[in-house]
Amino acid sequence: MNVRTAPPPAGTASAPPAGGDAPARAPRTLPVWVWAVPPVVLLALVFLYPLVLVALESVTAPGGGLTLAHHADVLGSESFRSALATTVFIAVTATLGCLVLGFLLALVVAFVPFPGSGATARFIDTYLSFPSFLITLALLFLYGTVGVANGAWTEVTGAGTGPISFLATPWGVILAEITYFTPFVMRPLLAAFAQLDTAQIEVASSLGARPLRIVRAVILPEALPALAAGGALVLVLCLNEFAIVLFTGAKDVVTLPMLVYSAAILEADYTTACVVATVNAALSVSLYLVYRAATARLRAPSGGRRARA
């Protein structure tokens, strides 16, 4: 005779089977902030700590305590004002040259069909990895005192020296910076042109608009955020450029980075070097914030056929 066992009442937990294993507990996981501590500590030691030391040195009085007397002395000196004016002039002029040249070259690469346009765009990406002194050495090889151009002149005319000597002037530094930094403007422009709906260009062309008007009315408004982003980035880089000024041999061209180098290395005046470096860093951070604001305004991709990038 079979005997049925009544089921347990509702709401009563059933006991685990005899000899069975208890359910495994979920493994404990560390809080997320624990994983963020090591990189933050490393960043603080390697990057932030030296910057804090530089800032403190610029405001530390000889007998201890804090003072702004060092800033007043350095900022009021003729050498600092001259270096600041030279730095701003070179940076602004080179940035304007990069914007104009970069916009024209990006137009050609993106909208003018020619063999090797894709390879040209890839070369621009590769060019960004070149060191700045390499471009300066190439210009010295061509236009330096004993460069190719001056050598050809002396061979033809028999003169002792050639007529080309502009590389040792601010204009030589500007030429080197335009040559090196123009691809930094072209890259965001090519990305912006790739998002441009080419149907707008085709409609404008079908309505009889000339190429210059198409560029002014259709392409340029779409490129303004990219121009602002590339221009702000190039301006920051030009303000802090040291290798180009050093390798051109322009002894009379003293920029803020060169003033820091002279005060710290040649004169062992670390307080003056820290003051100038702090001012230069403040200018760079301000321009970097402008650059971030400009890149944030880059428009999202839209539909339609795209231009080449």
Side-chain angles (χ1 to χ4, degrees), residues 48-75:
L48 297 180
Y49 179 65
L51 290 181
V52 171
L53 288 181
V54 170
L56 287 178
E57 178 65 24
S58 67
V59 295
T60 301
L66 301 179
T67 179
L68 293 178
H70 303 314
H71 284 264
D73 294 340
V74 173
L75 299 183

Side-chain angles (χ1 to χ4, degrees), residues 200-210 213-214:
Q200 303 178 40
I201 301 176
E202 295 171 357
V203 170
S205 178
S206 65
L207 294 176
R210 295 179 178 275
R213 185 169 184 180
I214 293 176

Side-chain angles (χ1 to χ4, degrees), residues 65-126:
L66 301 179
T67 179
L68 293 178
H70 303 314
H71 284 264
D73 294 340
V74 173
L75 299 183
S77 63
E78 179 62 29
S79 60
F80 174 81
R81 291 197 298 265
S82 176
L84 179 61
T86 302
T87 303
V88 172
F89 170 73
I90 291 176
V92 172
T93 306
T95 300
L96 292 176
C98 290
L99 288 175
V100 174
L101 183 60
F103 181 71
L104 294 177
L105 292 178
L107 279 178
V108 173
V109 173
F111 297 108
V112 179
F114 65 93
S117 59
T120 302
R122 288 189 292 272
F123 173 75
I124 292 172
D125 293 334
T126 306

Side-chain angles (χ1 to χ4, degrees), residues 17-207:
D21 296 333
R25 293 183 177 179
R28 284 189 174 183
T29 57
L30 293 175
V32 177
W33 63 268
V34 174
W35 299 102
V37 169
V40 169
V41 172
L42 181 63
L43 179 65
L45 292 176
V46 175
F47 181 71
L48 297 180
Y49 179 65
L51 290 181
V52 171
L53 288 181
V54 170
L56 287 178
E57 178 65 24
S58 67
V59 295
T60 301
L66 301 179
T67 179
L68 293 178
H70 303 314
H71 284 264
D73 294 340
V74 173
L75 299 183
S77 63
E78 179 62 29
S79 60
F80 174 81
R81 291 197 298 265
S82 176
L84 179 61
T86 302
T87 303
V88 172
F89 170 73
I90 291 176
V92 172
T93 306
T95 300
L96 292 176
C98 290
L99 288 175
V100 174
L101 183 60
F103 181 71
L104 294 177
L105 292 178
L107 279 178
V108 173
V109 173
F111 297 108
V112 179
F114 65 93
S117 59
T120 302
R122 288 189 292 272
F123 173 75
I124 292 172
D125 293 334
T126 306
Y127 189 90
L128 298 178
S129 64
F130 290 173
S132 59
F133 68 85
L134 181 63
I135 306 301
T136 309
L137 286 178
L139 292 177
L140 287 173
F141 181 77
L142 291 175
Y143 306 115
T145 305
V146 292
V148 174
N150 282 325
W153 176 268
T154 55
E155 287 184 3
V156 171
T157 63
T161 58
I164 303 176
S165 60
F166 68 92
L167 280 182
T169 67
W171 296 106
V173 177
I174 291 171
L175 174 63
E177 291 188 352
I178 290 176
T179 304
Y180 180 68
F181 290 120
T182 294
F184 288 82
V185 175
M186 293 181 63
R187 187 63 262 174
L189 279 174
L190 292 176
F193 291 158
Q195 299 174 5
L196 179 63
D197 189 357
T198 55
Q200 303 178 40
I201 301 176
E202 295 171 357
V203 170
S205 178
S206 65
L207 294 176

